[in-house]
Amino acid sequence: MKALAPLLVFLVLGAVACQDGGNEHRFRVPLASPLAVQAQPYRELVWGDVNIIHTTDTHGWLLGHQKSRPPESNYKGTFGDLASFVSRMNTTAQDKGYDFLLVDTGDLRDGTGVSDGHPKEQWAGEETDKFFLRMPYDVMTIGNHELYNPPTVAYDMHANFSKKTKRYLTSNAFITINGDNGLTKTVPIGWQFAKFKTSRKRLNVTAFGVTFNATGISPNVSVQPAEIMVNQPWFLDAIKERPSFFLLTGHMSVGERFNDWRAVVKPIRDLHKDTPIIILAGHTHLRNCTQFDDDKVVAIESGAFMDTVGWLSFNLSNTDKPLDYSRRYLDPNRVTYKYHTHTQKDEDFDTDEGKSITKDLWKLYDDFHLSRVWGSSPKDYTLFRVSNNSVLDLFVGEALPGVLNNVTCKGSKKRPKFFFINSGVLRYDIYEGIFDQNDQLTAAPYPDKLWCVSNVALVDAKRANATMNGSNGQAYLPVDLREARRRETAEVDAIRRNWLLQMSTHADPELQQDDRTLGYVTTDQCGNRQAGDGDDVKHNPISFLSHLPKIVIGPSTVTAPFVDLVILDHGWRDVLGNLSVPDHKYTESDIDKNFTNLTTNEVLGKYAQIAWPPKHELRP
Ligand SMILES: *[C@@H]1O[C@H](CO)[C@@H](O)[C@H](O)[C@H]1NC(C)=O
Ligand SMILES: *[C@@H]1O[C@H](CO)[C@@H](O)[C@H](O)[C@H]1NC(C)=O
Ligand SMILES: *[C@@H]1O[C@H](CO)[C@@H](O)[C@H](O)[C@H]1NC(C)=O
Ligand SMILES: *[C@@H]1O[C@H](CO)[C@@H](O)[C@H](O)[C@H]1NC(C)=O
Ligand SMILES: *[C@@H]1O[C@H](CO)[C@@H](O)[C@H](O)[C@H]1NC(C)=O
Ligand SMILES: *[C@@H]1O[C@H](CO)[C@@H](O)[C@H](O)[C@H]1NC(C)=O
Ligand SMILES: *[C@@H]1O[C@H](CO)[C@@H](O)[C@H](O)[C@H]1NC(C)=O
Ligand SMILES: *[C@@H]1O[C@H](CO)[C@@H](O)[C@H](O)[C@H]1NC(C)=O
Ligand SMILES: *[C@@H]1O[C@H](CO)[C@@H](O)[C@H](O)[C@H]1NC(C)=O
Ligand SMILES: *[C@@H]1O[C@H](CO)[C@@H](O)[C@H](O)[C@H]1NC(C)=O
Ligand SMILES: *[C@@H]1O[C@H](CO)[C@@H](O)[C@H](O)[C@H]1NC(C)=O
Ligand SMILES: *[C@@H]1O[C@H](CO)[C@@H](O)[C@H](O)[C@H]1NC(C)=O
Ligand SMILES: [Zn+2]
């Protein structure tokens, strides 16, 4: 069998916008991409009595990863492609008489333009939520990103979204709303549990949706710790009856942190010695699977950012034997989907609804002006992957100096500008080719302001860089996030990075093979526990940096003894403190706060306009 299915993709991804007498014209243009190579799965999925497809932490990536560079191209499938896949798999399940469930475990927003680019900030993610309602999800649960500010999001999940889903389970997440009597009342955001029968084998399912003890959430919402939840009468009542299996969904991890699953499993196991307990987890943005101490509990976590579609199947037949189950982490793309649905031609794979979902997502892309092209990046710039081009260096070394070239600090042109920026302003790589508004929002989402400290000794800036990057350094605090939220988000990033790092350093060099594309090589505690056993496609691991600096400074060409230092508008007291030496204290009066109106989420686009003219072939 051919391991690689090279795709010459002619996708209608880009759109060139041009200003013409104030009218913005968009042209959809075909982009030939010889780099898009998606490897095929090498074995069929294992079916069981019950088969579950799991998504989690999608964070707005419903159009998939559009770039053609590996490993991004592994994740190119759109939500419409997933809809077609789910529909075809359900038909296969029906033919075999098996049950088939679709589950999502939260974090629908904060990641790309289609969720974050909503013109009304308080409704961020509201348009992408509608695509979840078009999918036949059997169970969904809430993520911490639905609980953070603005409070309108949690309210929308409660008042509107949950009512339109089959089962939006929030066993321990509550919202305080106005009651009919003029008093406030605290109610579950969705339903606390559900009991239902599967459609084919008429199995009894008892399902919950449990969230980790999130902090830094909106004032109107609260999470009851799982260990308190399990003592509530409603919970004890719900678990009394013995179902065919328990379906524990939740925004909690399979790994060591953000994991209260044991607290939920214990009271169930105390009552029901051998009822299977199936756990669908999330939050830490990685692939993982484990079996608890008893062999009838299995927990899977299925990645993030639509880089993974999880598969968990199991048989119920032999109640006295260990659970027969199979787990798989699919690369969400059409090659994967067609392989597992045994379809070759598009017309045999795509469903009308699938095509319609993709079309409507692209329409949303246009409606939110995400297709506005700022330029065409000449190369890849990476944040955490090892490469020759760092997106951090690009930001402080070229982009900021370029776009702020004519701006003066306190009106003086005497000194060169030097940039002292927290690395947390960036969250994603930039890939060669079209750089549009969506790429800008994905790479640098936060509207941080830029201030300027006038007349700073370069040695002070360099010393502050060293100090703040050392152990005493304060990590980045994005302007719109409160401390607790930031800590949670940063910890998730650290766990994910650690996973990525482990797979590149622990990978057996013999596993590196020329015919493999770059991608995840997962080691977990399920199956045969071999690296890559759960991954649907065999990949070579990607190399990642072991460490990201908290502060980046530049450009390196600046050597003048005194500079005007450009900083962010928060954490600035900390910066001033670290710049200061006993005989020279920098104070707030040294800062020019009216330096520029440009925010950090506009810098790359403006820079692309100056430095990265769209390539010839991109023009209509
Ligand atoms: C599977 O098909 C049944 C009809 O046979 C339908 O009720 C159910 O919603 C579908 N589920 C999924 C996840 O596609
Ligand atoms: C959230 O709570 C605040 C104050 O407690 C209230 O003013 C606001 O209307 C609430 N928001 C929602 C969406 O219920
Ligand atoms: C949600 O429902 C409330 C009450 O019905 C309504 O006022 C509000 O506009 C809805 N929000 C959205 C985003 O649809
Ligand atoms: C499901 O539960 C009902 C009682 O609520 C019981 O009659 C039925 O046998 C159960 N089905 C299975 C497959 O266990
Ligand atoms: C949950 O979080 C709150 C707020 O940080 C804390 O007071 C409480 O101890 C936590 N509970 C558990 C079980 O972690
Ligand atoms: C996967 O889960 C297991 C079991 O909780 C845990 O020991 C392991 O650290 C997790 N792996 C990662 C990469 O977090
Ligand atoms: C379920 O049982 C069937 C028949 O024995 C077997 O072919 C299949 O591999 C089993 N599925 C799982 C997930 O173990
Ligand atoms: C960096 O550039 C050199 C020279 O062009 C090349 O050989 C090397 O593979 C590049 N490294 C990475 C990680 O791309
Ligand atoms: C700076 O000013 C020069 C001369 O007026 C102009 O050509 C250039 O486009 C300006 N640069 C920026 C980034 O605005
Ligand atoms: C800033 O600090 C980092 C981390 O200590 C260091 O690698 C880098 O070289 C420093 N930058 C400069 C220009 O000194
Ligand atoms: C900065 O601009 C604001 C409004 O844009 C103005 O109110 C303020 O006086 C300005 N401050 C200085 C120091 O120019
Ligand atoms: C920033 O915006 C304010 C208010 O819109 C405006 O008064 C000011 O001139 C702008 N400053 C710069 C440097 O563009
Ligand atoms: Zn998440």
Side-chain angles (χ1 to χ4, degrees), residues 152-179:
T152 35
V153 171
Y155 184 71
D156 190 32
M157 301 319 268
H158 167 68
N160 309 315
F161 187 79
S162 72
K163 308 221 159 34
K164 296 176 191 162
T165 58
K166 271 191 218 158
R167 296 169 196 98
Y168 193 61
L169 302 187
T170 62
S171 304
N172 62 339
F174 298 86
I175 186 163
T176 302
I177 56 169
N178 294 324

PDB file of all heavy atoms in Angstrom, residues 152-179:
ATOM      1  N   THR A 152     -21.572  37.176  29.180  1.00  0.00           N
ATOM      2  CA  THR A 152     -22.605  36.906  28.182  1.00  0.00           C
ATOM      3  C   THR A 152     -22.450  35.530  27.549  1.00  0.00           C
ATOM      4  O   THR A 152     -23.421  34.929  27.116  1.00  0.00           O
ATOM      5  CB  THR A 152     -22.527  37.967  27.065  1.00  0.00           C
ATOM      6  OG1 THR A 152     -21.155  38.310  26.871  1.00  0.00           O
ATOM      7  CG2 THR A 152     -23.312  39.204  27.420  1.00  0.00           C
ATOM      8  N   VAL A 153     -21.197  35.035  27.490  1.00  0.00           N
ATOM      9  CA  VAL A 153     -20.977  33.743  26.842  1.00  0.00           C
ATOM     10  C   VAL A 153     -21.636  32.628  27.654  1.00  0.00           C
ATOM     11  O   VAL A 153     -22.415  31.838  27.118  1.00  0.00           O
ATOM     12  CB  VAL A 153     -19.472  33.474  26.625  1.00  0.00           C
ATOM     13  CG1 VAL A 153     -19.244  32.043  26.161  1.00  0.00           C
ATOM     14  CG2 VAL A 153     -18.898  34.452  25.613  1.00  0.00           C
ATOM     15  N   ALA A 154     -21.361  32.577  28.963  1.00  0.00           N
ATOM     16  CA  ALA A 154     -21.969  31.536  29.796  1.00  0.00           C
ATOM     17  C   ALA A 154     -23.484  31.682  29.787  1.00  0.00           C
ATOM     18  O   ALA A 154     -24.223  30.694  29.768  1.00  0.00           O
ATOM     19  CB  ALA A 154     -21.434  31.619  31.231  1.00  0.00           C
ATOM     20  N   TYR A 155     -23.942  32.926  29.777  1.00  0.00           N
ATOM     21  CA  TYR A 155     -25.385  33.152  29.761  1.00  0.00           C
ATOM     22  C   TYR A 155     -25.995  32.610  28.465  1.00  0.00           C
ATOM     23  O   TYR A 155     -27.050  31.972  28.466  1.00  0.00           O
ATOM     24  CB  TYR A 155     -25.692  34.640  29.920  1.00  0.00           C
ATOM     25  CG  TYR A 155     -27.176  34.887  30.003  1.00  0.00           C
ATOM     26  CD1 TYR A 155     -27.893  34.511  31.143  1.00  0.00           C
ATOM     27  CD2 TYR A 155     -27.879  35.430  28.927  1.00  0.00           C
ATOM     28  CE1 TYR A 155     -29.258  34.677  31.209  1.00  0.00           C
ATOM     29  CE2 TYR A 155     -29.238  35.601  28.988  1.00  0.00           C
ATOM     30  CZ  TYR A 155     -29.930  35.228  30.127  1.00  0.00           C
ATOM     31  OH  TYR A 155     -31.285  35.381  30.187  1.00  0.00           O
ATOM     32  N   ASP A 156     -25.319  32.847  27.373  1.00  0.00           N
ATOM     33  CA  ASP A 156     -25.800  32.342  26.084  1.00  0.00           C
ATOM     34  C   ASP A 156     -25.816  30.809  26.070  1.00  0.00           C
ATOM     35  O   ASP A 156     -26.745  30.196  25.549  1.00  0.00           O
ATOM     36  CB  ASP A 156     -24.890  32.886  24.966  1.00  0.00           C
ATOM     37  CG  ASP A 156     -25.448  32.626  23.577  1.00  0.00           C
ATOM     38  OD1 ASP A 156     -26.689  32.608  23.426  1.00  0.00           O
ATOM     39  OD2 ASP A 156     -24.647  32.430  22.647  1.00  0.00           O
ATOM     40  N   MET A 157     -24.792  30.197  26.657  1.00  0.00           N
ATOM     41  CA  MET A 157     -24.760  28.727  26.711  1.00  0.00           C
ATOM     42  C   MET A 157     -25.956  28.209  27.513  1.00  0.00           C
ATOM     43  O   MET A 157     -26.562  27.205  27.176  1.00  0.00           O
ATOM     44  CB  MET A 157     -23.456  28.214  27.359  1.00  0.00           C
ATOM     45  CG  MET A 157     -22.166  28.618  26.668  1.00  0.00           C
ATOM     46  SD  MET A 157     -22.181  28.575  24.877  1.00  0.00           S
ATOM     47  CE  MET A 157     -21.593  26.927  24.535  1.00  0.00           C
ATOM     48  N   HIS A 158     -26.286  28.944  28.554  1.00  0.00           N
ATOM     49  CA  HIS A 158     -27.415  28.545  29.399  1.00  0.00           C
ATOM     50  C   HIS A 158     -28.759  28.818  28.713  1.00  0.00           C
ATOM     51  O   HIS A 158     -29.588  27.921  28.565  1.00  0.00           O
ATOM     52  CB  HIS A 158     -27.354  29.304  30.734  1.00  0.00           C
ATOM     53  CG  HIS A 158     -28.602  29.204  31.542  1.00  0.00           C
ATOM     54  ND1 HIS A 158     -29.014  28.018  32.109  1.00  0.00           N
ATOM     55  CD2 HIS A 158     -29.555  30.126  31.847  1.00  0.00           C
ATOM     56  CE1 HIS A 158     -30.159  28.218  32.743  1.00  0.00           C
ATOM     57  NE2 HIS A 158     -30.509  29.478  32.594  1.00  0.00           N
ATOM     58  N   ALA A 159     -28.940  30.064  28.283  1.00  0.00           N
ATOM     59  CA  ALA A 159     -30.271  30.485  27.831  1.00  0.00           C
ATOM     60  C   ALA A 159     -30.615  29.963  26.443  1.00  0.00           C
ATOM     61  O   ALA A 159     -31.774  29.715  26.149  1.00  0.00           O
ATOM     62  CB  ALA A 159     -30.360  32.009  27.856  1.00  0.00           C
ATOM     63  N   ASN A 160     -29.600  29.818  25.611  1.00  0.00           N
ATOM     64  CA  ASN A 160     -29.893  29.480  24.219  1.00  0.00           C
ATOM     65  C   ASN A 160     -29.271  28.157  23.792  1.00  0.00           C
ATOM     66  O   ASN A 160     -29.963  27.249  23.372  1.00  0.00           O
ATOM     67  CB  ASN A 160     -29.390  30.594  23.284  1.00  0.00           C
ATOM     68  CG  ASN A 160     -29.881  31.966  23.744  1.00  0.00           C
ATOM     69  OD1 ASN A 160     -31.031  32.121  24.081  1.00  0.00           O
ATOM     70  ND2 ASN A 160     -28.990  32.927  23.772  1.00  0.00           N
ATOM     71  N   PHE A 161     -27.971  28.076  23.893  1.00  0.00           N
ATOM     72  CA  PHE A 161     -27.248  26.931  23.321  1.00  0.00           C
ATOM     73  C   PHE A 161     -27.715  25.603  23.926  1.00  0.00           C
ATOM     74  O   PHE A 161     -28.068  24.674  23.218  1.00  0.00           O
ATOM     75  CB  PHE A 161     -25.749  27.124  23.530  1.00  0.00           C
ATOM     76  CG  PHE A 161     -24.898  26.102  22.842  1.00  0.00           C
ATOM     77  CD1 PHE A 161     -24.640  26.192  21.486  1.00  0.00           C
ATOM     78  CD2 PHE A 161     -24.348  25.037  23.549  1.00  0.00           C
ATOM     79  CE1 PHE A 161     -23.847  25.249  20.845  1.00  0.00           C
ATOM     80  CE2 PHE A 161     -23.566  24.087  22.918  1.00  0.00           C
ATOM     81  CZ  PHE A 161     -23.313  24.194  21.564  1.00  0.00           C
ATOM     82  N   SER A 162     -27.729  25.540  25.274  1.00  0.00           N
ATOM     83  CA  SER A 162     -28.041  24.263  25.925  1.00  0.00           C
ATOM     84  C   SER A 162     -29.435  23.776  25.536  1.00  0.00           C
ATOM     85  O   SER A 162     -29.677  22.580  25.425  1.00  0.00           O
ATOM     86  CB  SER A 162     -27.937  24.416  27.444  1.00  0.00           C
ATOM     87  OG  SER A 162     -29.018  25.190  27.929  1.00  0.00           O
ATOM     88  N   LYS A 163     -30.322  24.711  25.275  1.00  0.00           N
ATOM     89  CA  LYS A 163     -31.703  24.329  24.970  1.00  0.00           C
ATOM     90  C   LYS A 163     -31.837  23.759  23.568  1.00  0.00           C
ATOM     91  O   LYS A 163     -32.829  23.107  23.244  1.00  0.00           O
ATOM     92  CB  LYS A 163     -32.611  25.545  25.148  1.00  0.00           C
ATOM     93  CG  LYS A 163     -32.423  26.198  26.515  1.00  0.00           C
ATOM     94  CD  LYS A 163     -33.707  26.626  27.155  1.00  0.00           C
ATOM     95  CE  LYS A 163     -33.643  26.806  28.652  1.00  0.00           C
ATOM     96  NZ  LYS A 163     -32.436  27.301  29.268  1.00  0.00           N
ATOM     97  N   LYS A 164     -30.844  24.027  22.728  1.00  0.00           N
ATOM     98  CA  LYS A 164     -30.923  23.545  21.347  1.00  0.00           C
ATOM     99  C   LYS A 164     -30.114  22.267  21.126  1.00  0.00           C
ATOM    100  O   LYS A 164     -30.123  21.705  20.040  1.00  0.00           O
ATOM    101  CB  LYS A 164     -30.422  24.635  20.390  1.00  0.00           C
ATOM    102  CG  LYS A 164     -31.312  25.871  20.412  1.00  0.00           C
ATOM    103  CD  LYS A 164     -30.732  26.963  19.525  1.00  0.00           C
ATOM    104  CE  LYS A 164     -31.464  28.272  19.751  1.00  0.00           C
ATOM    105  NZ  LYS A 164     -30.685  29.420  19.252  1.00  0.00           N
ATOM    106  N   THR A 165     -29.352  21.841  22.128  1.00  0.00           N
ATOM    107  CA  THR A 165     -28.576  20.616  21.996  1.00  0.00           C
ATOM    108  C   THR A 165     -29.404  19.434  22.500  1.00  0.00           C
ATOM    109  O   THR A 165     -30.393  19.622  23.208  1.00  0.00           O
ATOM    110  CB  THR A 165     -27.298  20.669  22.853  1.00  0.00           C
ATOM    111  OG1 THR A 165     -27.680  20.895  24.210  1.00  0.00           O
ATOM    112  CG2 THR A 165     -26.375  21.778  22.417  1.00  0.00           C
ATOM    113  N   LYS A 166     -28.955  18.227  22.149  1.00  0.00           N
ATOM    114  CA  LYS A 166     -29.637  17.047  22.695  1.00  0.00           C
ATOM    115  C   LYS A 166     -29.379  16.971  24.189  1.00  0.00           C
ATOM    116  O   LYS A 166     -30.288  16.822  24.988  1.00  0.00           O
ATOM    117  CB  LYS A 166     -29.082  15.779  22.041  1.00  0.00           C
ATOM    118  CG  LYS A 166     -29.813  15.384  20.772  1.00  0.00           C
ATOM    119  CD  LYS A 166     -29.390  13.982  20.332  1.00  0.00           C
ATOM    120  CE  LYS A 166     -29.312  13.960  18.812  1.00  0.00           C
ATOM    121  NZ  LYS A 166     -28.466  12.906  18.297  1.00  0.00           N
ATOM    122  N   ARG A 167     -28.091  17.027  24.547  1.00  0.00           N
ATOM    123  CA  ARG A 167     -27.741  16.925  25.964  1.00  0.00           C
ATOM    124  C   ARG A 167     -26.509  17.771  26.237  1.00  0.00           C
ATOM    125  O   ARG A 167     -25.400  17.362  25.904  1.00  0.00           O
ATOM    126  CB  ARG A 167     -27.432  15.465  26.348  1.00  0.00           C
ATOM    127  CG  ARG A 167     -28.610  14.553  26.197  1.00  0.00           C
ATOM    128  CD  ARG A 167     -28.254  13.080  26.307  1.00  0.00           C
ATOM    129  NE  ARG A 167     -29.362  12.301  25.767  1.00  0.00           N
ATOM    130  CZ  ARG A 167     -29.403  11.810  24.540  1.00  0.00           C
ATOM    131  NH1 ARG A 167     -28.369  11.979  23.728  1.00  0.00           N
ATOM    132  NH2 ARG A 167     -30.461  11.147  24.117  1.00  0.00           N
ATOM    133  N   TYR A 168     -26.718  18.961  26.795  1.00  0.00           N
ATOM    134  CA  TYR A 168     -25.595  19.798  27.198  1.00  0.00           C
ATOM    135  C   TYR A 168     -25.441  19.587  28.698  1.00  0.00           C
ATOM    136  O   TYR A 168     -26.222  20.102  29.490  1.00  0.00           O
ATOM    137  CB  TYR A 168     -25.882  21.264  26.867  1.00  0.00           C
ATOM    138  CG  TYR A 168     -24.668  22.162  26.954  1.00  0.00           C
ATOM    139  CD1 TYR A 168     -23.564  21.946  26.131  1.00  0.00           C
ATOM    140  CD2 TYR A 168     -24.622  23.231  27.831  1.00  0.00           C
ATOM    141  CE1 TYR A 168     -22.448  22.762  26.197  1.00  0.00           C
ATOM    142  CE2 TYR A 168     -23.506  24.058  27.906  1.00  0.00           C
ATOM    143  CZ  TYR A 168     -22.421  23.815  27.082  1.00  0.00           C
ATOM    144  OH  TYR A 168     -21.316  24.637  27.145  1.00  0.00           O
ATOM    145  N   LEU A 169     -24.453  18.781  29.065  1.00  0.00           N
ATOM    146  CA  LEU A 169     -24.346  18.331  30.450  1.00  0.00           C
ATOM    147  C   LEU A 169     -23.328  19.164  31.220  1.00  0.00           C
ATOM    148  O   LEU A 169     -22.146  19.235  30.854  1.00  0.00           O
ATOM    149  CB  LEU A 169     -23.969  16.849  30.501  1.00  0.00           C
ATOM    150  CG  LEU A 169     -24.940  15.913  29.783  1.00  0.00           C
ATOM    151  CD1 LEU A 169     -24.558  14.461  30.033  1.00  0.00           C
ATOM    152  CD2 LEU A 169     -26.380  16.153  30.217  1.00  0.00           C
ATOM    153  N   THR A 170     -23.793  19.809  32.256  1.00  0.00           N
ATOM    154  CA  THR A 170     -22.925  20.605  33.127  1.00  0.00           C
ATOM    155  C   THR A 170     -23.272  20.208  34.557  1.00  0.00           C
ATOM    156  O   THR A 170     -24.060  20.864  35.221  1.00  0.00           O
ATOM    157  CB  THR A 170     -23.156  22.113  32.918  1.00  0.00           C
ATOM    158  OG1 THR A 170     -24.505  22.418  33.265  1.00  0.00           O
ATOM    159  CG2 THR A 170     -22.941  22.515  31.475  1.00  0.00           C
ATOM    160  N   SER A 171     -22.684  19.113  35.009  1.00  0.00           N
ATOM    161  CA  SER A 171     -23.051  18.565  36.316  1.00  0.00           C
ATOM    162  C   SER A 171     -22.660  19.485  37.459  1.00  0.00           C
ATOM    163  O   SER A 171     -23.309  19.512  38.492  1.00  0.00           O
ATOM    164  CB  SER A 171     -22.358  17.214  36.510  1.00  0.00           C
ATOM    165  OG  SER A 171     -22.679  16.348  35.455  1.00  0.00           O
ATOM    166  N   ASN A 172     -21.556  20.242  37.271  1.00  0.00           N
ATOM    167  CA  ASN A 172     -21.058  21.049  38.388  1.00  0.00           C
ATOM    168  C   ASN A 172     -20.759  22.497  38.000  1.00  0.00           C
ATOM    169  O   ASN A 172     -20.005  23.173  38.681  1.00  0.00           O
ATOM    170  CB  ASN A 172     -19.809  20.389  39.002  1.00  0.00           C
ATOM    171  CG  ASN A 172     -18.655  20.288  38.013  1.00  0.00           C
ATOM    172  OD1 ASN A 172     -18.852  20.333  36.806  1.00  0.00           O
ATOM    173  ND2 ASN A 172     -17.448  20.153  38.534  1.00  0.00           N
ATOM    174  N   ALA A 173     -21.331  22.961  36.884  1.00  0.00           N
ATOM    175  CA  ALA A 173     -21.125  24.360  36.477  1.00  0.00           C
ATOM    176  C   ALA A 173     -22.454  25.105  36.542  1.00  0.00           C
ATOM    177  O   ALA A 173     -23.443  24.685  35.947  1.00  0.00           O
ATOM    178  CB  ALA A 173     -20.551  24.425  35.064  1.00  0.00           C
ATOM    179  N   PHE A 174     -22.439  26.208  37.274  1.00  0.00           N
ATOM    180  CA  PHE A 174     -23.677  26.928  37.581  1.00  0.00           C
ATOM    181  C   PHE A 174     -23.608  28.373  37.129  1.00  0.00           C
ATOM    182  O   PHE A 174     -22.534  28.944  36.976  1.00  0.00           O
ATOM    183  CB  PHE A 174     -23.928  26.915  39.093  1.00  0.00           C
ATOM    184  CG  PHE A 174     -24.108  25.534  39.655  1.00  0.00           C
ATOM    185  CD1 PHE A 174     -23.000  24.778  40.047  1.00  0.00           C
ATOM    186  CD2 PHE A 174     -25.373  24.970  39.773  1.00  0.00           C
ATOM    187  CE1 PHE A 174     -23.152  23.499  40.556  1.00  0.00           C
ATOM    188  CE2 PHE A 174     -25.534  23.682  40.277  1.00  0.00           C
ATOM    189  CZ  PHE A 174     -24.427  22.946  40.670  1.00  0.00           C
ATOM    190  N   ILE A 175     -24.791  28.960  36.952  1.00  0.00           N
ATOM    191  CA  ILE A 175     -24.870  30.384  36.619  1.00  0.00           C
ATOM    192  C   ILE A 175     -25.934  31.025  37.502  1.00  0.00           C
ATOM    193  O   ILE A 175     -26.933  30.381  37.850  1.00  0.00           O
ATOM    194  CB  ILE A 175     -25.182  30.588  35.115  1.00  0.00           C
ATOM    195  CG1 ILE A 175     -25.113  32.072  34.756  1.00  0.00           C
ATOM    196  CG2 ILE A 175     -26.541  29.987  34.732  1.00  0.00           C
ATOM    197  CD1 ILE A 175     -24.989  32.322  33.254  1.00  0.00           C
ATOM    198  N   THR A 176     -25.679  32.275  37.876  1.00  0.00           N
ATOM    199  CA  THR A 176     -26.648  33.019  38.687  1.00  0.00           C
ATOM    200  C   THR A 176     -27.416  33.967  37.774  1.00  0.00           C
ATOM    201  O   THR A 176     -26.814  34.766  37.056  1.00  0.00           O
ATOM    202  CB  THR A 176     -25.927  33.796  39.802  1.00  0.00           C
ATOM    203  OG1 THR A 176     -25.198  32.849  40.596  1.00  0.00           O
ATOM    204  CG2 THR A 176     -26.912  34.538  40.684  1.00  0.00           C
ATOM    205  N   ILE A 177     -28.718  33.795  37.768  1.00  0.00           N
ATOM    206  CA  ILE A 177     -29.561  34.592  36.868  1.00  0.00           C
ATOM    207  C   ILE A 177     -30.716  35.199  37.665  1.00  0.00           C
ATOM    208  O   ILE A 177     -30.953  34.836  38.820  1.00  0.00           O
ATOM    209  CB  ILE A 177     -30.140  33.722  35.724  1.00  0.00           C
ATOM    210  CG1 ILE A 177     -30.901  32.524  36.310  1.00  0.00           C
ATOM    211  CG2 ILE A 177     -29.052  33.271  34.783  1.00  0.00           C
ATOM    212  CD1 ILE A 177     -31.723  31.767  35.284  1.00  0.00           C
ATOM    213  N   ASN A 178     -31.427  36.103  37.023  1.00  0.00           N
ATOM    214  CA  ASN A 178     -32.610  36.691  37.678  1.00  0.00           C
ATOM    215  C   ASN A 178     -33.764  35.709  37.615  1.00  0.00           C
ATOM    216  O   ASN A 178     -34.095  35.190  36.547  1.00  0.00           O
ATOM    217  CB  ASN A 178     -32.999  37.989  36.967  1.00  0.00           C
ATOM    218  CG  ASN A 178     -31.920  39.043  37.134  1.00  0.00           C
ATOM    219  OD1 ASN A 178     -31.285  39.133  38.196  1.00  0.00           O
ATOM    220  ND2 ASN A 178     -31.686  39.817  36.093  1.00  0.00           N
ATOM    221  N   GLY A 179     -34.374  35.466  38.772  1.00  0.00           N
ATOM    222  CA  GLY A 179     -35.553  34.604  38.809  1.00  0.00           C
ATOM    223  C   GLY A 179     -36.799  35.417  38.515  1.00  0.00           C
ATOM    224  O   GLY A 179     -36.745  36.642  38.376  1.00  0.00           O
TER     225      GLY A 179
END
